Amino acid sequence: MPRFYLSTPIYYVNAAPHIGHAYTTIVADTIKRIRQMLGDEAFLTTGSDEHGQKVERSATKAGLEPKQFTDRVSAAFRDEWDALGLQYDFFQRTSDPRHAKAVRKIFERCLENGAIYKGEFTGKYHVGDEAFVTEDEAAGADPSLIVDLTEENYFFRLSDYQQKLIDHYEANPQFVQPDSRRNEMLSFMRSGLRDLSISRSSLRWGISLPNDPDHVFYVWFDALTTYISAIGFGQEGSDESHYERLWPIDVHLVGKEILRFHSVYWPAFLMAAGLPLPKQIWAHGWLIFQGGKMSKTKGNIVRALPIKEIVGTDGLRYYLLREIVFGQDGNFSHEALSERYNADLANGIGNIASRTASMLSRYCDGHVPEPGEGDDGGLPDLARQSIAGAIGHYKVYAFSRALEAVWAVLNRIDKYIVEHKPWALAKSGEPGARQQLETTLYHAAEALRIASVLLAPVIPDGAQRVWTMLGQTGAVSDQRLDELGWGGLKQGTAVGAQEAIYPRLDVAKAVQRMELLEDEALAQQAVLMGQAPATEPIEIDTPEIEIGEFFRVDMRVGVIKSAEAVPKSSKLLQMQVDIGEREPRSILAGIAETYRPADLIGRRVAVVANLKPRKMMGRLSQGMIVAASLDRGEPFLAGFSDKTPVGARLG
Ligand code: ME8
């Protein structure tokens, strides 16, 4: 059986999974399904990139040891892929000792072949990317992230590979795709390759060098080796057999920002180690949200699971593969996603499938009729074209065009049904009406069967349901795309029950719901990353009171007019608060560690107005501002919207 090996990048564990990571992994899962349906043994690896300074820093922030921290976040990635039904075959963690073995083996091979030397290097270092950058790149980067760094490092003689790499690109035009990115990489190499520092002596959280344990591998030498460690390279005996069978890889899928590491450094490392090069590296574009590439620092991140809750994995997969041209950047929006779902899934294939099933049950006793002599609406020809077109596009990862080819058939089914009106034919006494009715329903059902097979890699759940509804047995994904042809639907087949495959959404409500779930997911992820404490349910054990007792406290809405720090106190602020009386009150509160005075002016707050005045730090406080805290921790002011009238009583 031909085999097809593909990979996603291994994701950094210093951020929780978001839809950008899901995008690449969904694409990889789709390609795997396509290859399987073309008869290949397909093997997909993904994983987590766990070493390096950034991760060490995130762990420290979370108050955890790096290993504890990476265990936790790496598991969150695996859970995410499982929840999305993504079929990876192996999840590699760079902290796995078997991975370290492979990294050391590649290094030793490079060392033996004279590709490694020890030297001192001073250069512009990008702290965020953990890489030395060129002067030009440093000039274009955020200056706070660039430092001059001198280190004793092990170096890889990348400069020796410049011409070999260019020759390889020229002999293999498909090596890097799309072409625009390939050209970028060629010009990057032609501008001259500098040797590459591949170790750090300043860092602890990493894999130590076999010949010099004071150094650990610099992240990229470590991370890139995942692609062969994941299939057993560097292990003894049968563990390495996957490697023998699967390497070289058919395609590395990566985002465009990490193409250089994959298409220049990685092939050079492999050349130096005397190992075969990947067949292809495919760089896709970015999902853009609210005007920029999603990034943790910008905070413009969307997560996949809240979307799945509303539109299912099919809705998410379909949108990403249909709306975004693979290879280009694409905007993400919850509205566009919900509208696509309604137009193409709910009103499109879902509606056509349930109408067809219902007409088969009503007019043909729930069985597939015989295709007679009547008008076929051009469906057989169109379906054949669509099969060829979709497979051709799928093979080169032009997903949106493949889906367009399938939707051409679905739209034609819709039109064909409307043209022939089976409901009218069923009542008509005209000669030939019955035959046209049966012909129409056969052609509609058969075209739908073909569409379900073609769509199985992209919308696996819905495709299976359409398949079953048409009375087909087994898994639609067991069908072969390249053996698909018109006429496979057998006359007399009993059709399954009609069901709503993709319920229609109220777009405004769906968006609102997704955004709400997104907020919840964000809060959960903050806990995961150790940036927020997990909240335990609280217990209220204070004694009950009568309502009258409550009303003895006179609380009013006030607005803060001025605020200043109280000298010699780190906690106290003194504020002038207007609660609708003739004069504002002077009130002191222990909130200086949370709020800056300037940010408080104009804020509406709850004031206890009948509290006995008291002196604090020699100043009079004529009331109390209500704040909330957990276990007497950080205070949060209770607040009101700007429309709430000053002086209004609470209760
Ligand atoms: O770069 N749009 O990990 P990472 C599309 N550990 N894809 C996106 C995206 C977006 N807005 N954001 C992220 C690393 N991705 C390294 C890789 S590989 C040996 C080491 C996807 O967690 C895309 O595939 O920053 C991108 O390349 C990858 O996530 C970056 O993930």
Side-chain angles (χ1 to χ4, degrees), residues 9-12 18 20-21 23-24 49 220 223-224 227 254-255 257-258 262 284-287 293-294:
I10 50 164
Y11 305 112
Y12 282 132
H18 63 67
H21 306 123
Y23 177 55
T24 316
D49 192 352
W220 283 101
L224 290 161
Y227 301 127
V254 297
E257 79 291 354
I258 54 172
H262 285 79
H284 65 68
W286 288 337
L287 294 187
K293 180 187 181 240
M294 286 178 211

PDB file of all heavy atoms in Angstrom, residues 9-12 18 20-21 23-24 49 220 223-224 227 254-255 257-258 262 284-287 293-294, ligand 1:
ATOM      1  N   PRO A   9       3.171  21.600  12.378  1.00  0.00           N
ATOM      2  CA  PRO A   9       4.227  22.054  13.287  1.00  0.00           C
ATOM      3  C   PRO A   9       3.944  21.479  14.675  1.00  0.00           C
ATOM      4  O   PRO A   9       2.825  21.036  14.961  1.00  0.00           O
ATOM      5  CB  PRO A   9       4.051  23.573  13.314  1.00  0.00           C
ATOM      6  CG  PRO A   9       3.238  23.916  12.117  1.00  0.00           C
ATOM      7  CD  PRO A   9       2.367  22.718  11.856  1.00  0.00           C
ATOM      8  N   ILE A  10       4.942  21.502  15.515  1.00  0.00           N
ATOM      9  CA  ILE A  10       4.675  21.162  16.915  1.00  0.00           C
ATOM     10  C   ILE A  10       4.489  22.508  17.619  1.00  0.00           C
ATOM     11  O   ILE A  10       5.291  23.421  17.455  1.00  0.00           O
ATOM     12  CB  ILE A  10       5.800  20.311  17.533  1.00  0.00           C
ATOM     13  CG1 ILE A  10       7.169  20.933  17.278  1.00  0.00           C
ATOM     14  CG2 ILE A  10       5.736  18.893  17.001  1.00  0.00           C
ATOM     15  CD1 ILE A  10       8.241  20.361  18.172  1.00  0.00           C
ATOM     16  N   TYR A  11       3.407  22.636  18.343  1.00  0.00           N
ATOM     17  CA  TYR A  11       3.013  23.952  18.844  1.00  0.00           C
ATOM     18  C   TYR A  11       3.690  24.275  20.164  1.00  0.00           C
ATOM     19  O   TYR A  11       3.907  23.390  21.000  1.00  0.00           O
ATOM     20  CB  TYR A  11       1.491  24.009  18.973  1.00  0.00           C
ATOM     21  CG  TYR A  11       0.817  23.654  17.658  1.00  0.00           C
ATOM     22  CD1 TYR A  11       0.074  22.479  17.517  1.00  0.00           C
ATOM     23  CD2 TYR A  11       0.969  24.478  16.541  1.00  0.00           C
ATOM     24  CE1 TYR A  11      -0.508  22.142  16.302  1.00  0.00           C
ATOM     25  CE2 TYR A  11       0.388  24.155  15.320  1.00  0.00           C
ATOM     26  CZ  TYR A  11      -0.344  22.981  15.210  1.00  0.00           C
ATOM     27  OH  TYR A  11      -0.913  22.642  14.005  1.00  0.00           O
ATOM     28  N   TYR A  12       4.010  25.545  20.319  1.00  0.00           N
ATOM     29  CA  TYR A  12       4.618  25.999  21.572  1.00  0.00           C
ATOM     30  C   TYR A  12       3.615  25.851  22.707  1.00  0.00           C
ATOM     31  O   TYR A  12       2.442  26.196  22.539  1.00  0.00           O
ATOM     32  CB  TYR A  12       4.985  27.483  21.485  1.00  0.00           C
ATOM     33  CG  TYR A  12       6.243  27.778  20.721  1.00  0.00           C
ATOM     34  CD1 TYR A  12       6.248  28.779  19.752  1.00  0.00           C
ATOM     35  CD2 TYR A  12       7.431  27.107  20.976  1.00  0.00           C
ATOM     36  CE1 TYR A  12       7.404  29.089  19.047  1.00  0.00           C
ATOM     37  CE2 TYR A  12       8.580  27.408  20.280  1.00  0.00           C
ATOM     38  CZ  TYR A  12       8.569  28.393  19.311  1.00  0.00           C
ATOM     39  OH  TYR A  12       9.699  28.684  18.638  1.00  0.00           O
ATOM     40  N   HIS A  18      -5.319  27.683  20.106  1.00  0.00           N
ATOM     41  CA  HIS A  18      -6.340  28.580  19.542  1.00  0.00           C
ATOM     42  C   HIS A  18      -6.654  28.157  18.122  1.00  0.00           C
ATOM     43  O   HIS A  18      -6.105  27.162  17.629  1.00  0.00           O
ATOM     44  CB  HIS A  18      -5.933  30.048  19.676  1.00  0.00           C
ATOM     45  CG  HIS A  18      -4.691  30.445  18.938  1.00  0.00           C
ATOM     46  ND1 HIS A  18      -4.619  30.453  17.569  1.00  0.00           N
ATOM     47  CD2 HIS A  18      -3.482  30.847  19.380  1.00  0.00           C
ATOM     48  CE1 HIS A  18      -3.420  30.857  17.198  1.00  0.00           C
ATOM     49  NE2 HIS A  18      -2.694  31.087  18.280  1.00  0.00           N
ATOM     50  N   GLY A  20      -5.839  29.214  15.269  1.00  0.00           N
ATOM     51  CA  GLY A  20      -4.725  29.153  14.311  1.00  0.00           C
ATOM     52  C   GLY A  20      -4.080  27.770  14.337  1.00  0.00           C
ATOM     53  O   GLY A  20      -3.810  27.167  13.287  1.00  0.00           O
ATOM     54  N   HIS A  21      -3.859  27.247  15.545  1.00  0.00           N
ATOM     55  CA  HIS A  21      -3.298  25.897  15.657  1.00  0.00           C
ATOM     56  C   HIS A  21      -4.293  24.878  15.105  1.00  0.00           C
ATOM     57  O   HIS A  21      -3.924  23.923  14.426  1.00  0.00           O
ATOM     58  CB  HIS A  21      -3.005  25.541  17.116  1.00  0.00           C
ATOM     59  CG  HIS A  21      -2.143  26.538  17.830  1.00  0.00           C
ATOM     60  ND1 HIS A  21      -2.532  27.179  18.982  1.00  0.00           N
ATOM     61  CD2 HIS A  21      -0.916  27.018  17.537  1.00  0.00           C
ATOM     62  CE1 HIS A  21      -1.579  27.996  19.372  1.00  0.00           C
ATOM     63  NE2 HIS A  21      -0.589  27.928  18.518  1.00  0.00           N
ATOM     64  N   TYR A  23      -6.448  25.338  12.843  1.00  0.00           N
ATOM     65  CA  TYR A  23      -6.517  25.456  11.377  1.00  0.00           C
ATOM     66  C   TYR A  23      -5.530  24.489  10.723  1.00  0.00           C
ATOM     67  O   TYR A  23      -5.921  23.645   9.907  1.00  0.00           O
ATOM     68  CB  TYR A  23      -6.208  26.897  10.974  1.00  0.00           C
ATOM     69  CG  TYR A  23      -6.186  27.135   9.479  1.00  0.00           C
ATOM     70  CD1 TYR A  23      -7.274  26.803   8.682  1.00  0.00           C
ATOM     71  CD2 TYR A  23      -5.072  27.707   8.862  1.00  0.00           C
ATOM     72  CE1 TYR A  23      -7.257  27.036   7.309  1.00  0.00           C
ATOM     73  CE2 TYR A  23      -5.046  27.949   7.506  1.00  0.00           C
ATOM     74  CZ  TYR A  23      -6.138  27.607   6.727  1.00  0.00           C
ATOM     75  OH  TYR A  23      -6.119  27.832   5.381  1.00  0.00           O
ATOM     76  N   THR A  24      -4.263  24.575  11.089  1.00  0.00           N
ATOM     77  CA  THR A  24      -3.262  23.696  10.468  1.00  0.00           C
ATOM     78  C   THR A  24      -3.588  22.235  10.753  1.00  0.00           C
ATOM     79  O   THR A  24      -3.451  21.373   9.880  1.00  0.00           O
ATOM     80  CB  THR A  24      -1.850  23.999  11.023  1.00  0.00           C
ATOM     81  OG1 THR A  24      -1.681  25.403  11.083  1.00  0.00           O
ATOM     82  CG2 THR A  24      -0.774  23.388  10.151  1.00  0.00           C
ATOM     83  N   ASP A  49       6.011  21.702  21.341  1.00  0.00           N
ATOM     84  CA  ASP A  49       7.383  22.225  21.344  1.00  0.00           C
ATOM     85  C   ASP A  49       7.606  22.785  22.744  1.00  0.00           C
ATOM     86  O   ASP A  49       7.014  23.799  23.102  1.00  0.00           O
ATOM     87  CB  ASP A  49       7.451  23.326  20.275  1.00  0.00           C
ATOM     88  CG  ASP A  49       8.874  23.739  19.970  1.00  0.00           C
ATOM     89  OD1 ASP A  49       9.786  23.301  20.685  1.00  0.00           O
ATOM     90  OD2 ASP A  49       9.049  24.520  19.005  1.00  0.00           O
ATOM     91  N   TRP A 220      15.393  25.367  17.578  1.00  0.00           N
ATOM     92  CA  TRP A 220      15.014  24.876  16.248  1.00  0.00           C
ATOM     93  C   TRP A 220      15.685  23.557  15.887  1.00  0.00           C
ATOM     94  O   TRP A 220      15.091  22.707  15.240  1.00  0.00           O
ATOM     95  CB  TRP A 220      15.233  25.936  15.167  1.00  0.00           C
ATOM     96  CG  TRP A 220      14.139  26.952  15.226  1.00  0.00           C
ATOM     97  CD1 TRP A 220      14.195  28.194  15.790  1.00  0.00           C
ATOM     98  CD2 TRP A 220      12.790  26.790  14.772  1.00  0.00           C
ATOM     99  NE1 TRP A 220      12.972  28.810  15.705  1.00  0.00           N
ATOM    100  CE2 TRP A 220      12.093  27.981  15.080  1.00  0.00           C
ATOM    101  CE3 TRP A 220      12.089  25.758  14.134  1.00  0.00           C
ATOM    102  CZ2 TRP A 220      10.744  28.167  14.771  1.00  0.00           C
ATOM    103  CZ3 TRP A 220      10.742  25.953  13.818  1.00  0.00           C
ATOM    104  CH2 TRP A 220      10.091  27.140  14.146  1.00  0.00           C
ATOM    105  N   ALA A 223      13.548  21.241  17.832  1.00  0.00           N
ATOM    106  CA  ALA A 223      12.138  21.135  17.416  1.00  0.00           C
ATOM    107  C   ALA A 223      11.984  20.446  16.058  1.00  0.00           C
ATOM    108  O   ALA A 223      11.112  19.596  15.884  1.00  0.00           O
ATOM    109  CB  ALA A 223      11.516  22.521  17.367  1.00  0.00           C
ATOM    110  N   LEU A 224      12.826  20.825  15.104  1.00  0.00           N
ATOM    111  CA  LEU A 224      12.651  20.280  13.748  1.00  0.00           C
ATOM    112  C   LEU A 224      12.874  18.764  13.703  1.00  0.00           C
ATOM    113  O   LEU A 224      12.260  18.064  12.894  1.00  0.00           O
ATOM    114  CB  LEU A 224      13.592  20.999  12.778  1.00  0.00           C
ATOM    115  CG  LEU A 224      13.206  22.461  12.503  1.00  0.00           C
ATOM    116  CD1 LEU A 224      14.387  23.242  11.939  1.00  0.00           C
ATOM    117  CD2 LEU A 224      12.010  22.532  11.542  1.00  0.00           C
ATOM    118  N   TYR A 227      10.160  15.703  13.531  1.00  0.00           N
ATOM    119  CA  TYR A 227       9.523  15.040  12.393  1.00  0.00           C
ATOM    120  C   TYR A 227      10.082  13.653  12.126  1.00  0.00           C
ATOM    121  O   TYR A 227       9.414  12.827  11.514  1.00  0.00           O
ATOM    122  CB  TYR A 227       9.643  15.926  11.148  1.00  0.00           C
ATOM    123  CG  TYR A 227       9.002  17.280  11.333  1.00  0.00           C
ATOM    124  CD1 TYR A 227       9.706  18.460  11.087  1.00  0.00           C
ATOM    125  CD2 TYR A 227       7.690  17.384  11.769  1.00  0.00           C
ATOM    126  CE1 TYR A 227       9.116  19.696  11.269  1.00  0.00           C
ATOM    127  CE2 TYR A 227       7.095  18.619  11.961  1.00  0.00           C
ATOM    128  CZ  TYR A 227       7.807  19.771  11.709  1.00  0.00           C
ATOM    129  OH  TYR A 227       7.217  20.991  11.891  1.00  0.00           O
ATOM    130  N   VAL A 254       3.096  23.990   7.338  1.00  0.00           N
ATOM    131  CA  VAL A 254       3.528  25.011   8.302  1.00  0.00           C
ATOM    132  C   VAL A 254       2.857  26.343   7.992  1.00  0.00           C
ATOM    133  O   VAL A 254       2.411  26.567   6.869  1.00  0.00           O
ATOM    134  CB  VAL A 254       5.071  25.228   8.263  1.00  0.00           C
ATOM    135  CG1 VAL A 254       5.811  23.963   8.665  1.00  0.00           C
ATOM    136  CG2 VAL A 254       5.544  25.725   6.907  1.00  0.00           C
ATOM    137  N   GLY A 255       2.813  27.215   8.984  1.00  0.00           N
ATOM    138  CA  GLY A 255       2.395  28.590   8.747  1.00  0.00           C
ATOM    139  C   GLY A 255       3.561  29.334   8.103  1.00  0.00           C
ATOM    140  O   GLY A 255       4.725  28.978   8.317  1.00  0.00           O
ATOM    141  N   GLU A 257       5.138  31.944   8.652  1.00  0.00           N
ATOM    142  CA  GLU A 257       6.169  32.597   9.467  1.00  0.00           C
ATOM    143  C   GLU A 257       7.282  31.646   9.893  1.00  0.00           C
ATOM    144  O   GLU A 257       8.331  32.091  10.330  1.00  0.00           O
ATOM    145  CB  GLU A 257       5.523  33.261  10.700  1.00  0.00           C
ATOM    146  CG  GLU A 257       5.174  32.338  11.873  1.00  0.00           C
ATOM    147  CD  GLU A 257       4.037  31.366  11.617  1.00  0.00           C
ATOM    148  OE1 GLU A 257       3.395  31.452  10.562  1.00  0.00           O
ATOM    149  OE2 GLU A 257       3.801  30.493  12.474  1.00  0.00           O
ATOM    150  N   ILE A 258       7.054  30.342   9.746  1.00  0.00           N
ATOM    151  CA  ILE A 258       8.128  29.415  10.148  1.00  0.00           C
ATOM    152  C   ILE A 258       8.637  28.626   8.941  1.00  0.00           C
ATOM    153  O   ILE A 258       9.285  27.599   9.089  1.00  0.00           O
ATOM    154  CB  ILE A 258       7.682  28.465  11.298  1.00  0.00           C
ATOM    155  CG1 ILE A 258       6.388  27.721  10.939  1.00  0.00           C
ATOM    156  CG2 ILE A 258       7.509  29.226  12.588  1.00  0.00           C
ATOM    157  CD1 ILE A 258       6.028  26.628  11.954  1.00  0.00           C
ATOM    158  N   HIS A 262      11.864  25.565   8.191  1.00  0.00           N
ATOM    159  CA  HIS A 262      11.549  24.259   7.612  1.00  0.00           C
ATOM    160  C   HIS A 262      12.159  24.050   6.233  1.00  0.00           C
ATOM    161  O   HIS A 262      12.446  22.927   5.857  1.00  0.00           O
ATOM    162  CB  HIS A 262      10.025  24.088   7.517  1.00  0.00           C
ATOM    163  CG  HIS A 262       9.387  23.819   8.840  1.00  0.00           C
ATOM    164  ND1 HIS A 262       9.137  24.806   9.754  1.00  0.00           N
ATOM    165  CD2 HIS A 262       8.983  22.653   9.420  1.00  0.00           C
ATOM    166  CE1 HIS A 262       8.580  24.273  10.834  1.00  0.00           C
ATOM    167  NE2 HIS A 262       8.485  22.975  10.659  1.00  0.00           N
ATOM    168  N   HIS A 284       1.156  27.748   4.605  1.00  0.00           N
ATOM    169  CA  HIS A 284      -0.149  28.400   4.442  1.00  0.00           C
ATOM    170  C   HIS A 284      -0.127  29.789   5.062  1.00  0.00           C
ATOM    171  O   HIS A 284       0.837  30.175   5.740  1.00  0.00           O
ATOM    172  CB  HIS A 284      -1.269  27.536   5.018  1.00  0.00           C
ATOM    173  CG  HIS A 284      -1.206  27.333   6.500  1.00  0.00           C
ATOM    174  ND1 HIS A 284      -1.416  28.357   7.393  1.00  0.00           N
ATOM    175  CD2 HIS A 284      -0.958  26.220   7.237  1.00  0.00           C
ATOM    176  CE1 HIS A 284      -1.307  27.877   8.621  1.00  0.00           C
ATOM    177  NE2 HIS A 284      -1.014  26.587   8.558  1.00  0.00           N
ATOM    178  N   GLY A 285      -1.208  30.528   4.819  1.00  0.00           N
ATOM    179  CA  GLY A 285      -1.282  31.909   5.316  1.00  0.00           C
ATOM    180  C   GLY A 285      -1.827  31.965   6.737  1.00  0.00           C
ATOM    181  O   GLY A 285      -1.937  30.945   7.419  1.00  0.00           O
ATOM    182  N   TRP A 286      -2.163  33.161   7.141  1.00  0.00           N
ATOM    183  CA  TRP A 286      -2.634  33.372   8.516  1.00  0.00           C
ATOM    184  C   TRP A 286      -4.130  33.617   8.560  1.00  0.00           C
ATOM    185  O   TRP A 286      -4.691  34.254   7.658  1.00  0.00           O
ATOM    186  CB  TRP A 286      -1.973  34.617   9.107  1.00  0.00           C
ATOM    187  CG  TRP A 286      -0.535  34.431   9.434  1.00  0.00           C
ATOM    188  CD1 TRP A 286       0.119  33.261   9.686  1.00  0.00           C
ATOM    189  CD2 TRP A 286       0.434  35.480   9.545  1.00  0.00           C
ATOM    190  NE1 TRP A 286       1.433  33.519   9.957  1.00  0.00           N
ATOM    191  CE2 TRP A 286       1.651  34.859   9.882  1.00  0.00           C
ATOM    192  CE3 TRP A 286       0.385  36.868   9.406  1.00  0.00           C
ATOM    193  CZ2 TRP A 286       2.820  35.592  10.069  1.00  0.00           C
ATOM    194  CZ3 TRP A 286       1.536  37.590   9.597  1.00  0.00           C
ATOM    195  CH2 TRP A 286       2.748  36.954   9.929  1.00  0.00           C
ATOM    196  N   LEU A 287      -4.726  33.168   9.629  1.00  0.00           N
ATOM    197  CA  LEU A 287      -6.092  33.587   9.932  1.00  0.00           C
ATOM    198  C   LEU A 287      -5.968  34.957  10.580  1.00  0.00           C
ATOM    199  O   LEU A 287      -5.227  35.124  11.551  1.00  0.00           O
ATOM    200  CB  LEU A 287      -6.744  32.649  10.936  1.00  0.00           C
ATOM    201  CG  LEU A 287      -7.025  31.221  10.533  1.00  0.00           C
ATOM    202  CD1 LEU A 287      -7.827  30.533  11.624  1.00  0.00           C
ATOM    203  CD2 LEU A 287      -7.780  31.190   9.237  1.00  0.00           C
ATOM    204  N   LYS A 293      -2.911  39.296  12.654  1.00  0.00           N
ATOM    205  CA  LYS A 293      -2.655  37.873  12.907  1.00  0.00           C
ATOM    206  C   LYS A 293      -2.957  37.638  14.378  1.00  0.00           C
ATOM    207  O   LYS A 293      -2.588  38.445  15.218  1.00  0.00           O
ATOM    208  CB  LYS A 293      -1.198  37.531  12.634  1.00  0.00           C
ATOM    209  CG  LYS A 293      -0.912  36.061  12.901  1.00  0.00           C
ATOM    210  CD  LYS A 293       0.548  35.699  12.809  1.00  0.00           C
ATOM    211  CE  LYS A 293       0.716  34.212  13.061  1.00  0.00           C
ATOM    212  NZ  LYS A 293       1.563  33.887  14.193  1.00  0.00           N
ATOM    213  N   MET A 294      -3.642  36.536  14.651  1.00  0.00           N
ATOM    214  CA  MET A 294      -3.953  36.281  16.050  1.00  0.00           C
ATOM    215  C   MET A 294      -2.665  36.133  16.831  1.00  0.00           C
ATOM    216  O   MET A 294      -1.749  35.448  16.402  1.00  0.00           O
ATOM    217  CB  MET A 294      -4.720  34.971  16.167  1.00  0.00           C
ATOM    218  CG  MET A 294      -6.118  35.136  15.691  1.00  0.00           C
ATOM    219  SD  MET A 294      -6.985  33.593  15.788  1.00  0.00           S
ATOM    220  CE  MET A 294      -8.086  33.828  14.423  1.00  0.00           C
TER     221      MET A 294
HETATM  222  O1  ME8 B   1       5.971  28.242  15.722  1.00  0.00           O
HETATM  223  N1  ME8 B   1      -3.229  31.540  11.360  1.00  0.00           N
HETATM  224  O2  ME8 B   1       4.754  27.077  17.310  1.00  0.00           O
HETATM  225  P1  ME8 B   1       3.450  27.965  17.446  1.00  0.00           P
HETATM  226  C1  ME8 B   1      -2.885  30.362  10.840  1.00  0.00           C
HETATM  227  N2  ME8 B   1       6.849  25.687  17.951  1.00  0.00           N
HETATM  228  N3  ME8 B   1      -2.103  29.471  11.463  1.00  0.00           N
HETATM  229  C2  ME8 B   1      -1.666  29.784  12.674  1.00  0.00           C
HETATM  230  C3  ME8 B   1      -1.993  31.004  13.295  1.00  0.00           C
HETATM  231  C4  ME8 B   1      -2.822  31.907  12.582  1.00  0.00           C
HETATM  232  N4  ME8 B   1      -3.217  33.073  13.070  1.00  0.00           N
HETATM  233  N5  ME8 B   1      -1.403  31.025  14.493  1.00  0.00           N
HETATM  234  C5  ME8 B   1      -0.741  29.853  14.626  1.00  0.00           C
HETATM  235  C6  ME8 B   1       5.865  27.357  16.542  1.00  0.00           C
HETATM  236  N6  ME8 B   1      -0.897  29.090  13.538  1.00  0.00           N
HETATM  237  C7  ME8 B   1       6.980  26.357  16.718  1.00  0.00           C
HETATM  238  C8  ME8 B   1       6.979  25.401  15.562  1.00  0.00           C
HETATM  239  S1  ME8 B   1       7.868  23.234  14.297  1.00  0.00           S
HETATM  240  C9  ME8 B   1       9.229  22.299  14.328  1.00  0.00           C
HETATM  241  C10 ME8 B   1       8.046  24.365  15.599  1.00  0.00           C
HETATM  242  C11 ME8 B   1      -0.343  27.741  13.303  1.00  0.00           C
HETATM  243  O3  ME8 B   1       2.725  27.434  18.617  1.00  0.00           O
HETATM  244  C12 ME8 B   1       0.553  27.703  12.082  1.00  0.00           C
HETATM  245  O4  ME8 B   1       0.721  26.377  11.678  1.00  0.00           O
HETATM  246  O5  ME8 B   1       3.777  29.397  17.408  1.00  0.00           O
HETATM  247  C13 ME8 B   1       1.855  28.207  12.650  1.00  0.00           C
HETATM  248  O6  ME8 B   1       2.987  27.922  11.851  1.00  0.00           O
HETATM  249  C14 ME8 B   1       1.888  27.471  13.957  1.00  0.00           C
HETATM  250  O7  ME8 B   1       0.511  27.445  14.392  1.00  0.00           O
HETATM  251  C15 ME8 B   1       2.754  28.167  14.981  1.00  0.00           C
HETATM  252  O8  ME8 B   1       2.582  27.557  16.195  1.00  0.00           O
END
